[in-house]
Structures are given as C-alpha cells and as structure tokens.
Amino acid sequence: MILMSLAKHLAKGRACIDCRRRKVKCGGEIPACKRCVRGGYGLDCQYVDERGKTGVQLLEASITKFEARLAELQSLATQKQPVLEIYVPGRGGLCQNVSDLYFRLVPPRHAMRPATSLPAGWWEQSRMPLEVTNLLMDHFAPYAFQLGFFMHGPRLCHIIFRQSNFPPPSPNLLNVIYLWGIHLSGDDRLLAYESLFLNRAVQFDLSAQQPQHVVHNIQADILLAAFFLRFGKHSSAIHRLNSAVSLCISYGLHRQASNQSAFALHLPPPRDSIDRGERLDAFWTTFLLCKALDVQEHASFRILATMDEFIDTPFPLEMSFYEGGSVPSNPNGVLTLKSFLKSPGADPSNGILALTAKAAALFERAKYYSAQWQLVQHPEERKFEMDLLYFTKAVPPLSQFVGPYTKYTWITVMTLLQVAIIHLHGSRKYHDSNQKCLDAAQTAANLIASFDDQKTVQHIHPIMAPLWFTVCETLIDGILESHIKDFMVGTNEHLIQSLTTVVQAMETCSRNCYEMTEAHLLRLNGMFHRISFKLTL
C-alpha cells in the first residue's frame, strides 16, 4: 500500500536528477527530497520540468532574456535621445562625470553647433524645453566668466540638466542665463524674444527668496548688471549691483570669518567646499565690480565703502582648490582688505578672481589719494605708489594663465593697475607725473596688442570701457603736449600708435557693447577733431 501510494504521489520520470542518476527511490519532496537532504547536498537537489529544463537552467535563460531586452531598450533610447554635450560656463573642472546615457560636460568653445529647429511655442512653456536650454547655454558659456559668472559651472549644469541632490536653481538665475544666451546667439529666431526674456529677468521671482538661493540671486544680479551696462543703462545696472551688495551684507558674506549668528539673516550650512568657495566668490565678485565701476555716490556702495575696514572674508582661490576640498580660512579674524591695503605684497592669493578684486581695491584707493592730495605728494601717498608698483610687478605673466577667460581677466587686472597709476598722477604738478601717466597708458595699449583672441575681446566686460577711455584721454593729452613743446616726432608717432591700438579695440567691442560706443567712442571722436585742429595750427 505504501509503495502504491508513493507511486501515485511521484509519477514516472519525476524523481530528482541525483536520485535518477543513482537509480534509487526518490520521495519527490519539494524543494529537496529527503534522500538528498540526509546526504548533505539538499541545495543541489533539482527536478526537471515538462520541457526537460532544470530550475537553474530556467533562471539562467530568464536572466539572458532580460539582459537582451535591457540592451535593446538602451539602444532604442540612445537612438531617440542622443547624448547631450553641455558647454560648462565659467570655472570648474569637468571631472564630475555623470553616469546616465544622455549627458556629458564639455569645455566651451567659440564655434557653436549648427542651428537646429526649435520646438513650437518654446518661449511660452512653463519649463524651458531641454534642447532650447542646451542651445542657450551653448551661447552663454564661452563668455560667462567675462560677464561676471563666478559659480562652479559643472555643478550648475548638473542642477539644471539632470536630477540632483541639490535644490533646483533659482528661477531668477535661469531667466538671466536665458536672456544672455539669446542676446549672444545672433540668431534672429531667438533674438525676436529678447525683450520678453528681459522682462522676465527684471521681474524678481518672490518664490526664489529663499536662503538656499542667495548665491544664485547674487549671481543673477551681477549678470543682469553686466547686461544693462552693455546697453549703457547705468541706473538699472546700479540698481542690480545695489541688490547684490544688500544680499552680501544682509547675510554676512563680507564677514565670513566672523560669528554668523550676529547677522539677522542666515544661509544654510555649506554642503561642501565648493559651496563655501562659491560664497567667497560671490562676495568678492560683487566687491570688485563696485570698486571698478567707481560709483561710490550711490547709497549701497557707500554702505560697502564703510564696511571695507570690517571685511574678514578671505580672498578667493581657484575652483580647482574648492574641488579638492581646500577653502581659505581666517581663524584669527584678520581684516582682509585693511591688511591687504596696508601691505599688498603680503597676501599670497593670486587666483584670477583674487587678483581682480585686489586690483579693483588698489584702483579705488588710487582715486581716493588723487582726490585727497592734489598739489603736494603726501608720505602716505608715496608709500601707496610704491606698493602699487610692487604689486603690479608681482602679477604673474600672461603665459601662466590658461584659457580665454583667464587671459581676458589678466588684461582687466593689468589695465586696472595701469589706470590706477594714471589716476594717482593725473592731477599732479610735481616732477615726472605726466611721464608716469604716459608710460602707464602705453603699457595698457601694449596689453591689448598682446591679446590675439579678437572674438573674445568682442565680448569684453563693459567695465573696460571707462578704463580704456581714460587711457585714450591720457594719450591724447600726451600727443597735444608733445606737439606744443615740439618734442621729437618719433615720440609723437609712438603715442599715436598706442592710441590707435586702444581705439581699434574699443571699436571691436562696440559691435556688441552699446556702452563702448555711445558713452566713450563718441566722446573720443570730439577729441580727435580737436587734435586735428590743433596739430594743423
């Protein structure tokens, strides 16, 4: 009876593989028969299904099938959505690779990709189509740093173009980047909507007034200020810089070495060294623009001027240091700007942004001394002149700066320093002041001659317009004086050649910068008429 029952329970051919091989009776228990279990190899007990396949074989077949299907889907996805190449704006390495299939960071280049068709009604969509965002970033990225972009470019691209652990970008910053991308594109299909995006950029999104968006909003204000300066709209530019200054002071970015609890508004803790570095860069970029533009009569800039001696935020480093985890600190609370002006050669920071901030501080201080002592050189002024010359000689040469944006900024730094010398001596009557001004002006002209990337010069920051105008004024005065005093003809021709170099650079920039044309070239034209008249007497 037991054998009959077992026979009914276990049909012919249903014994496990091992029992069949041994030609012994199998109980057919699932998942392993008792005989295999007693023998200590229960895990290897397998049964063949109706198709003659073991469980392991069926599992392996399923895995092979799923892998084939996954490869097929990936191939289809790649065909439908080609890999996006995102041009990275500003500074920052490209080592932070993205693991998905559709996104790759690349350095910006001036040769844009061929124009493609745009989605219908792209300007009306609540969320910009990805391909349009990509196109606008292409146009913005090559010139971003020259326009005041200080953020970590790769991280911003991560936030904009893919899911990230970081909060989404401020809509204010996105709108300004879109505006600049449209403006720089030269594409009539995009330029038709420039005024629309300008209106969006100036309408501050209240939903973005959150602590995590403070740095983004400072960045938006600075880029928008550069946009207005480009069109000669000074009051609008100053309004945006006022906003950036107010944010810096309200959140204590000028005193990042101090106890932040002393400030009414607080930023969230930085997530990493790049976050901390961006906060340093946000303050010093705002600082240098205020100093370089020399508009201290405005209320917020006067506030910044009174805060100068309280600044303890360290000078910034290059982005590569932030990426490596290094951020400058100031544990002793040294007053950064006050200490620098006392001894400009003592601070070792020579990153491109730090150099520009220092040059702007010296430029502003030179104008201060020029206004203070106009007849007799004061001992404090003499010390400042020596410090200024020492700092100028200590600036690394152009050959040490790689990339078009760093080369452009090197010219800005050196021009600020040469014009500082002109301001310091321009109103002086003591011995050799005029010659020092002429030497500085000719040096500034030679800087332009050493810069061979004319396409980059076309999109130079508008702060260069008043600097070059001052250089031209100085050269024109030197030409007239040399003619009146009947100096050597060769000297006069040398000054004329320097003047021609600067004017040609201004004319190149004027194709894209209304400020360069209206505010300065037109005034120079009037001076040229006076030169021609006086030289023919």
Side-chain angles (χ1 to χ4, degrees):
M1 293 291 294
I2 295 176
L3 291 177
M4 290 177 62
S5 174
L6 180 59
K8 290 181 180 179
H9 177 72
L10 190 62
K12 183 178 179 180
R14 297 298 292 168
C16 74
I17 295 175
D18 194 65
C19 289
R20 291 170 61 184
R21 181 175 59 81
R22 293 171 180 268
K23 297 182 179 181
V24 296
K25 293 182 178 180
C26 179
E29 293 84 5
I30 300 298
C33 71
K34 291 181 180 180
R35 185 180 294 277
C36 289
V37 172
R38 285 198 302 266
Y41 38 85
L43 293 177
D44 297 326
C45 183
Q46 298 184 55
Y47 295 90
V48 178
D49 71 346
E50 295 82 354
R51 295 168 293 178
K53 300 285 187 180
T54 67
V56 171
Q57 291 173 328
L58 290 173
L59 182 59
E60 289 176 346
S62 297
I63 292 174
T64 302
K65 179 180 178 181
F66 286 129
E67 286 178 342
R69 179 56 177 164
L70 178 60
E72 180 184 357
L73 291 174
Q74 289 177 339
S75 177
L76 289 173
T78 303
Q79 294 174 11
K80 293 179 180 178
Q81 298 184 10
V83 175
L84 290 177
E85 285 190 345
I86 308 301
Y87 291 169
V88 177
R91 302 174 301 157
L94 304 177
C95 56
Q96 298 186 6
N97 295 322
V98 181
S99 59
D100 63 40
L101 297 170
Y102 319 117
F103 183 88
R104 188 162 66 95
L105 300 178
V106 294
R109 59 176 180 261
H110 297 298
M112 293 293 103
R113 284 185 283 267
T116 57
S117 59
L118 298 174
W122 59 270
W123 64 91
E124 297 175 328
Q125 299 185 28
S126 58
R127 184 172 182 178
M128 185 73 73
L130 184 61
E131 60 269 35
V132 179
T133 302
N134 192 17
L135 178 63
L136 297 180
M137 184 65 80
D138 282 357
H139 293 296
F140 170 70
Y143 312 105
F145 189 78
Q146 299 165 210
L147 302 172
F149 185 85
F150 60 78
M151 296 180 66
H152 186 260
R155 173 164 293 179
L156 182 63
C157 288
H158 280 264
I159 296 173
I160 293 177
F161 290 98
R162 72 187 293 269
Q163 294 296 322
S164 172
N165 294 329
F166 294 92
S170 163
N172 301 316
L173 178 56
L174 281 179
N175 284 331
V176 178
I177 289 177
Y178 295 154
L179 173 64
W180 267 115
I182 290 171
H183 177 70
L184 295 170
S185 69
D187 188 333
D188 291 338
R189 300 173 303 165
L190 298 171
L191 290 171
Y193 302 98
E194 183 174 329
S195 59
L196 171 65
F197 279 84
L198 176 59
N199 289 333
R200 292 178 184 175
V202 298
Q203 293 172 358
F204 192 86
D205 190 338
L206 296 178
S207 66
Q209 288 183 315
Q210 303 175 30
Q212 67 265 28
H213 282 148
V214 167
V215 172
H216 286 204
N217 289 337
I218 292 173
Q219 180 67 91
D221 282 328
I222 287 174
L223 290 174
L224 199 50
F227 186 86
F228 285 128
L229 283 173
R230 194 178 182 89
F231 288 93
K233 298 181 179 180
H234 287 267
S235 59
S236 297
I238 298 307
H239 173 70
R240 288 297 165 176
L241 280 178
N242 281 340
S243 175
V245 170
S246 298
L247 285 172
C248 286
I249 293 176
S250 298
Y251 284 90
L253 294 185
H254 64 303
R255 303 199 66 184
Q256 294 187 44
S258 304
N259 183 5
Q260 292 296 301
S261 62
F263 299 97
L265 300 176
H266 305 283
L267 291 173
R271 289 156 292 198
D272 54 22
S273 56
I274 293 177
D275 246 12
R276 297 200 303 274
E278 281 188 338
R279 295 178 186 185
L280 298 180
D281 293 0
F283 170 71
W284 286 112
T285 302
T286 304
F287 171 91
L288 72 88
L289 285 176
C290 293
K291 299 300 184 183
L293 288 172
D294 191 35
V295 281
Q296 297 292 344
E297 68 273 13
H298 295 274
S300 290
F301 295 143
R302 288 201 301 271
I303 294 174
L304 182 61
T306 61
M307 303 295 283
D308 280 357
E309 62 182 81
F310 301 108
I311 295 172
D312 61 19
T313 296
F315 283 113
L317 300 177
E318 287 299 292
M319 274 293 177
S320 58
F321 287 93
Y322 304 155
E323 291 173 333
S326 299
V327 181
S329 61
N330 184 11
N332 297 324
V334 175
L335 297 175
T336 311
L337 182 63
K338 191 173 181 180
S339 175
F340 167 72
L341 291 174
K342 184 178 180 181
S343 180
D347 188 279
S349 307
N350 63 355
I352 199 68
L353 184 54
L355 285 174
T356 315
K358 292 175 180 180
L362 293 171
F363 169 80
E364 191 255 353
R365 185 54 58 101
K367 295 203 72 173
Y368 166 78
Y369 282 131
S370 179
Q372 287 291 104
W373 299 293
Q374 295 188 5
L375 298 178
V376 180
Q377 192 173 33
H378 193 273
E380 186 177 340
E381 184 189 8
R382 283 197 295 270
K383 178 186 180 304
F384 174 78
E385 182 182 4
M386 294 177 61
D387 289 339
L388 176 60
L389 294 175
Y390 175 82
F391 181 84
T392 302
K393 292 179 180 179
V395 175
L398 178 61
S399 60
Q400 292 190 19
F401 295 92
V402 180
Y405 75 83
T406 53
K407 291 181 179 180
Y408 154 79
T409 310
W410 180 85
I411 279 195
T412 304
V413 169
M414 297 303 292
T415 305
L416 278 168
L417 295 172
Q418 297 305 319
V419 176
I421 295 173
I422 294 173
H423 284 316
L424 191 63
H425 291 281
S427 59
R428 299 297 187 266
K429 302 301 180 184
Y430 47 79
H431 179 65
D432 75 1
S433 288
N434 289 339
Q435 189 59 48
K436 288 182 178 180
C437 289
L438 285 176
D439 290 343
Q442 289 181 284
T443 300
N446 292 336
L447 295 173
I448 300 171
S450 68
F451 197 81
D452 56 0
D453 190 349
Q454 292 300 313
K455 187 171 180 60
T456 300
V457 172
Q458 289 181 19
H459 297 283
I460 207 162
H461 197 286
I463 67 171
M464 291 296 289
L467 299 179
W468 280 344
F469 180 79
T470 300
V471 171
C472 289
E473 279 187 314
T474 305
L475 292 171
I476 289 172
D477 288 343
I479 292 169
L480 292 173
E481 185 175 354
S482 66
H483 178 73
I484 293 172
K485 294 184 178 181
D486 197 23
F487 282 0
M488 294 176 60
V489 176
T491 302
N492 203 357
E493 289 179 351
H494 191 59
L495 295 177
I496 291 175
Q497 180 58 47
S498 295
L499 178 61
T500 302
T501 299
V502 183
V503 171
Q504 286 177 346
M506 295 179 72
E507 288 176 340
T508 300
C509 296
S510 69
R511 301 168 192 168
N512 299 291
C513 182
Y514 179 89
E515 165 74 358
M516 194 74 75
T517 303
E518 290 298 318
H520 297 94
L521 279 178
L522 291 181
R523 292 169 63 190
L524 285 176
N525 283 334
M527 294 182 182
F528 294 153
H529 288 302
R530 292 198 297 273
I531 291 177
S532 301
F533 175 73
K534 291 186 178 182
L535 292 181
T536 56
L537 290 178

